[in-house]
Amino acid sequence: AGSDVCQAFTFYASEDKLNNRGHGAGKHGVYGINKAACEIVKEVTYPAGGLVAGGLSQTPTYLTTLDKQVVKDEVKKQLQVFKEQNVDLMICEYYEHVEEAEWHVEAIKEFMPGTPVCASLAINEDSDVHGVPTGECGVRLVKAGADVVGVNCHFDPFRCIAAVKKMVDAVKEAGLNAHYMVQPLGFWTPDAGVQGFIDLPEFPFALEARIMTRFDMARYAREAWDAGIRFIGGCCGYEPYHIRAVSEELSAERGGYLPANCSKWGACLAKHTKPWVRNRSNREYWENLNPSTGRPFSASLSKPSQWGITAGDDLLKQHTEETTEAELEAGTKFLIAKHKGRGCVC
């Protein structure tokens, strides 16, 4: 599809997460899972000339302890594997709190010196979930040692671009230098609050109606490039045709490279039997299309749950045992109280 960087599937593969709330993945071990992920991505990526990235993400240990050294010790269990596997770069992604991302960046710099570090937060245009302004988050990541900073997941491409622009401006104002990245959702989220799409009532099993088209992705790629972002990718909801659309849109900027099976704005439709379909074999048609959902009387926006809780709250503290009925009941009561007077419980 045209990707230059492929990431090992090590998202949420820290030891504490693998053992969290009754998960059985922990029996395979943090070392074994991360090693297998690295070996698989190398097998796929290197023959095609791509780069391999190791990946870290937020940990239950941060939410539970807020202890810097304990968190660093936790992620170093993963870093041991990435160091042995000699990955080309590291991506720290999906952090709702900039503080934890800083600690992870520092851990990489200490444990894997010389390895390029990318750091992206799962936050919106305004702030992380602790209220740290988005621009300031970018500055803090650069000061922690990140070479590339940006935003990933939780929000759609255009909201993520707006967030990264805040980082670009703040980093420049601080007199610092960095490169920038964006890896958004493949879903539209104009109605998502600070917690992003995980706070929408459709999450996670009814998001299909929000999927973006390949032509939305072409516009995203162009706007990201024009904003000075050079690490342009995708996160949850992305399919190969989305990545292909990004690659195709930026073909000229990438030396004329085109991935296999490009749509070329529907050029293949010129061979279609029906004349009205043949007339759709051009960029103008698809760029100006406003797709319908096909769902009669469907709502265009949803009401986020807006839990409003963050690190240190009892409801977020983690443990290895399965979630208890008492915990589920407490969470339900909290949710009902949040929605009281709003006419629905989502």
Side-chain angles (χ1 to χ4, degrees), residues 304-342:
S305 294
Q306 296 179 328
W307 275 55
I309 59 176
T310 184
D313 190 283
D314 285 342
L315 284 172
L316 284 181
K317 289 185 177 178
Q318 309 297 301
H319 48 69
T320 57
E321 301 80 15
E322 291 188 18
T323 303
T324 65
E325 289 295 327
E327 288 176 309
L328 290 174
E329 183 178 350
T332 300
K333 288 181 178 178
F334 182 89
L335 188 59
I336 290 173
K338 286 288 293 183
H339 283 269
K340 189 174 182 179
R342 291 175 59 185

Side-chain angles (χ1 to χ4, degrees), residues 23-322:
H23 287 312
K27 65 184 179 183
H28 300 291
V30 63
Y31 185 89
I33 288 177
N34 284 270
K35 181 174 182 288
C38 288
E39 291 172 346
I40 291 170
V41 74
K42 283 182 175 182
E43 181 180 339
V44 172
T45 306
Y46 283 156
L51 298 175
V52 166
L56 298 178
S57 51
Q58 61 185 7
T59 64
T61 296
Y62 175 78
L63 293 174
T64 304
T65 70
L66 298 178
D67 186 302
K68 183 175 184 177
Q69 192 56 51
V70 173
V71 170
K72 280 188 172 184
D73 289 343
E74 186 64 47
V75 299
K76 283 180 180 178
K77 299 172 188 176
Q78 283 184 275
L79 293 180
Q80 179 63 47
V81 181
F82 300 135
K83 186 174 184 178
E84 291 177 9
Q85 291 290 316
N86 195 30
V87 297
D88 299 303
L89 67 152
M90 284 296 302
I91 298 177
C92 301
E93 64 175 2
Y94 196 78
Y95 299 90
E96 297 168 299
H97 313 85
V98 67
E99 181 178 61
E100 184 178 12
E102 290 176 288
W103 297 352
H104 286 207
V105 170
E106 291 172 4
I108 296 171
K109 290 295 184 180
E110 295 165 6
F111 199 72
M112 299 174 64
T115 303
V117 180
C118 306
S120 59
L121 308 179
I123 64 174
N124 66 15
E125 312 92 320
D126 300 321
S127 70
D128 75 354
V129 297
H130 270 165
V132 180
T134 298
E136 182 181 334
C137 286
V139 172
R140 286 175 59 167
L141 290 175
V142 175
K143 288 183 176 180
D147 304 290
V148 185
V149 300
V151 170
N152 84 295
C153 203
H154 273 203
F155 299 94
D156 67 54
F158 304 103
R159 294 192 66 182
C160 285
I161 290 173
V164 178
K165 284 181 177 179
K166 295 278 187 74
M167 292 185 175
V168 172
D169 291 342
V171 169
K172 287 181 178 178
E173 286 181 17
L176 302 171
N177 293 308
H179 300 284
Y180 300 94
M181 68 187 301
V182 61
Q183 293 180 290
L185 296 175
F187 307 109
W188 285 103
T189 64
D191 44 349
V194 68
Q195 292 278 5
F197 82 139
I198 62 172
D199 203 28
L200 294 174
E202 297 89 356
F203 179 86
F205 296 130
L207 289 164
E208 288 85 352
R210 293 174 174 266
I211 291 175
M212 306 184 78
T213 71
R214 67 197 72 212
F215 308 112
D216 295 325
M217 292 304 175
R219 179 164 73 91
Y220 147 65
R222 179 55 53 196
E223 291 190 16
W225 182 273
D226 290 346
I229 303 168
R230 293 297 179 264
F231 194 129
I232 303 171
C235 199
C236 302
Y238 262 68
E239 298 291 344
Y241 68 87
H242 287 137
I243 294 295
R244 186 176 290 111
V246 171
S247 182
E248 183 178 349
E249 174 62 24
L250 298 176
S251 174
E253 289 78 4
R254 302 174 71 208
Y257 170 78
L258 277 174
N261 303 315
C262 283
S263 69
K264 298 181 180 176
W265 294 93
C268 61
L269 296 178
K271 297 179 173 61
H272 203 279
T273 305
K274 303 297 189 288
W276 60 88
V277 179
R278 290 199 296 270
N279 291 339
R280 298 172 184 173
S281 60
N282 60 84
R283 180 168 187 150
E284 182 180 9
Y285 175 84
W286 295 108
E287 268 192 329
N288 291 288
L289 179 69
N290 184 17
S292 297
T293 66
R295 296 175 178 271
F297 311 114
S298 65
S300 59
L301 302 175
S302 295
K303 292 181 179 179
S305 294
Q306 296 179 328
W307 275 55
I309 59 176
T310 184
D313 190 283
D314 285 342
L315 284 172
L316 284 181
K317 289 185 177 178
Q318 309 297 301
H319 48 69
T320 57
E321 301 80 15
E322 291 188 18

